[in-house]
Amino acid sequence: DVKVTQSSRYLVKRTGEKVFLECVQDMDHENMFWYRQDPGLGLRLIYFSYDVKMKEKGDIPEGYSVSREKKERFSLILESASTNQTSMYLCASSRTSATGELFFGEGSRLTVL
Amino acid sequence: AQSVTQPDIHITVSEGASLELRCNYSYGATPYLFWYVQSPGQGLQLLLKYFSGDTLVQGIKGFEAEFKRSQSSFNLRKPSVHWSDAAEYFCAVGDNFNKFYFGSGTKLNVKP
């Protein structure tokens, strides 16, 4: 069964802390994505990666960075967490093709106090 | 610019009734269209997708969607809703560069 695994389902951090959200996929997909989900706003793309060590900014990259050292792993980093980064974070992966659909992890709910 | 609009934020239907969730998109080329479902506390699961060919596509859990190019719409339908269908539904459009644009979602509530 194909799988996208997010290491933490729930996290509580304090303002100013550095936060790492990890995502691993076992489908050998080229593309990986980080989305943020907030009520009424749907999913907004933070960053994506088409290949190892490659990254592209999405629609809301401010305050975030990413790392992709291995094909199967894509990390989202909050250098200095702020309360407005309290949200649900969804990782996804896809194959590079015109018809490649997204496969999602179960999400990481981050609360910043 | 690409965009997806889901005009209904919340919908309530009775169990056994039919369902239609609306989705309109804005995209300059041939769109690749998707519907995803999200159960509470979970990630998103693909219901169905459209790339080309027959404009009526069938998906999992008894859902179907119809692509209407003239109306820039891709509405999701189900003839008889079950209580387990209560969830949030997202419409999305994919471009040729593997980027995806999501609507803001429609929450479905099912009355017994």
Side-chain angles (χ1 to χ4, degrees):
Chain A
D1 201 14
V2 297
K3 207 156 185 185
V4 178
T5 302
Q6 295 183 230
S7 56
S8 303
R9 292 293 308 274
Y10 301 94
L11 303 95
V12 179
K13 298 292 182 180
R14 297 206 175 274
T15 302
E17 280 193 82
K18 191 169 186 176
V19 181
F20 292 88
L21 299 180
E22 304 284 338
C23 175
V24 177
Q25 50 97 0
D26 65 359
M27 296 168 280
D28 200 36
H29 283 170
E30 297 85 1
N31 308 317
M32 296 189 75
F33 305 79
W34 275 105
Y35 287 89
R36 172 175 171 160
Q37 182 181 14
D38 299 288
L41 297 178
L43 278 70
R44 293 180 291 168
L45 182 62
I46 305 172
Y47 268 96
F48 59 103
S49 169
Y50 289 143
D51 200 351
V52 175
K53 297 194 185 293
M54 290 183 62
K55 60 185 179 184
E56 297 278 345
K57 292 181 179 179
D59 300 317
I60 52 164
E62 298 78 18
Y64 303 95
S65 62
V66 290
S67 171
R68 193 166 180 201
E69 296 295 320
K70 293 185 177 181
K71 189 175 185 180
E72 67 272 17
R73 187 179 298 269
F74 192 36
S75 302
L76 180 69
I77 303 155
L78 288 68
E79 293 288 343
S80 178
S82 63
T83 54
N84 62 13
Q85 293 179 309
T86 291
S87 187
M88 170 72 92
Y89 291 89
L90 292 168
C91 176
S93 70
S94 72
R95 192 167 301 287
T96 295
S97 75
T99 60
E101 70 204 59
L102 285 172
F103 291 84
F104 283 88
E106 292 192 325
S108 298
R109 183 164 294 281
L110 171 67
T111 301
V112 183
L113 302 175
Chain B
Q2 296 88 338
S3 67
V4 177
T5 302
Q6 293 179 247
D8 303 306
I9 298 173
H10 288 99
I11 282 186
T12 298
V13 299
S14 297
E15 191 168 17
S18 63
L19 171 70
E20 182 168 28
L21 301 183
R22 296 182 290 165
C23 173
N24 292 96
Y25 66 90
S26 172
Y27 187 65
T30 301
Y32 304 118
L33 296 162
F34 306 82
W35 274 100
Y36 284 85
V37 61
Q38 185 180 36
S39 298
Q42 301 296 314
L44 277 69
Q45 180 185 19
L46 181 70
L47 281 176
L48 47 78
K49 57 188 177 184
Y50 170 79
F51 297 128
S52 64
D54 193 347
T55 56
L56 184 65
V57 293
Q58 302 297 320
I60 63 171
K61 305 186 182 188
F63 285 92
E64 66 178 26
E66 186 171 12
F67 170 58
K68 293 185 177 180
R69 185 185 297 275
S70 61
Q71 298 177 19
S72 297
S73 69
F74 189 56
N75 293 349
L76 182 71
R77 301 194 294 244
K78 187 169 184 178
S80 177
V81 169
H82 188 261
W83 64 265
S84 61
D85 294 325
E88 191 160 18
Y89 293 80
F90 292 93
C91 181
V93 61
D95 68 12
N96 290 330
F97 303 99
N98 298 119
K99 284 188 70 176
F100 297 79
Y101 303 88
F102 285 84
S104 55
T106 298
K107 281 192 177 173
L108 173 64
N109 183 42
V110 180
K111 287 193 302 185

